[in-house]
Amino acid sequence: MRITGLHHVTLITRNLDATTSFYRDLLGLALVEQAANEDDPDARHFWFGDAEGRAGTLLSFLEYPAMPEGSVGVGSTHHLALAVDSSEELDAWRDYLRGRGVQTTDVFERGRFRSLYLRDPDGHILELATRV
């Protein structure tokens, strides 16, 4: 038995339309599935990832418009990191995002990789990081 990788990450959103505009239209992820959540049929559930919807590329969002904001701390997620192929591409992402009014950090030199941070419409922290 062994873990072979990350399958998906699920996040809570207040507004799947804004989430779709951000992850599909701005970041370029494919919207691979739109459905009701199997565990909560009243909640819309969207999946974004690569064009084939392969495990390891998937971000899943459950829509709960009235849910209270979470608090940062033990038991919460700090951020999730999305991979880009090169330092040049990371710099291009920074310029592209800033050109569209998205606030990002400067690029950080991490030794084994470079990265920058931004927030999605619900305030989730995203890191764009070069592949190790």
Side-chain angles (χ1 to χ4, degrees), residues 60-80:
S60 157
F61 289 86
L62 296 170
E63 184 180 52
Y64 290 102
M67 188 172 280
E69 289 209 16
S71 61
V72 176
V74 174
S76 69
T77 301
H78 182 267
H79 75 277
L80 60 103

Side-chain angles (χ1 to χ4, degrees), residues 116-128:
L116 62 82
Y117 294 89
L118 62 144
R119 288 185 183 262
D120 78 1
D122 288 296
H124 298 113
I125 300 170
L126 302 178
E127 179 181 21
L128 299 184

Side-chain angles (χ1 to χ4, degrees), residues 2-131:
R2 69 183 181 98
I3 302 297
T4 60
L6 181 66
H7 186 274
H8 72 276
V9 174
T10 298
L11 302 168
I12 304 295
T13 182
R14 282 207 169 111
N15 182 326
L16 271 171
D17 295 331
T19 296
T20 299
S21 291
F22 185 84
Y23 285 92
R24 183 192 64 196
D25 303 337
L26 182 71
L27 297 185
L29 297 178
L31 176 55
V32 296
E33 185 177 341
Q34 302 178 58
N37 182 273
E38 292 179 8
D39 299 321
D40 182 0
D42 292 330
R44 292 194 306 161
H45 192 178
F46 283 17
W47 294 76
F48 299 88
D50 71 5
E52 291 78 33
R54 288 183 289 217
T57 70
L58 295 171
L59 295 178
S60 157
F61 289 86
L62 296 170
E63 184 180 52
Y64 290 102
M67 188 172 280
E69 289 209 16
S71 61
V72 176
V74 174
S76 69
T77 301
H78 182 267
H79 75 277
L80 60 103
L82 303 173
V84 301
D85 283 331
S86 68
S87 289
E88 295 77 21
E89 190 171 351
L90 182 66
D91 293 340
W93 272 108
R94 178 201 56 220
D95 297 343
Y96 166 79
L97 292 165
R98 287 179 175 178
R100 279 151 186 80
V102 177
Q103 293 183 354
T104 74
T105 64
D106 290 329
V107 173
F108 293 101
E109 301 292 337
R110 303 285 191 196
R112 294 182 50 206
F113 64 97
R114 300 173 73 225
S115 68
L116 62 82
Y117 294 89
L118 62 144
R119 288 185 183 262
D120 78 1
D122 288 296
H124 298 113
I125 300 170
L126 302 178
E127 179 181 21
L128 299 184
T130 57
R131 295 187 184 274

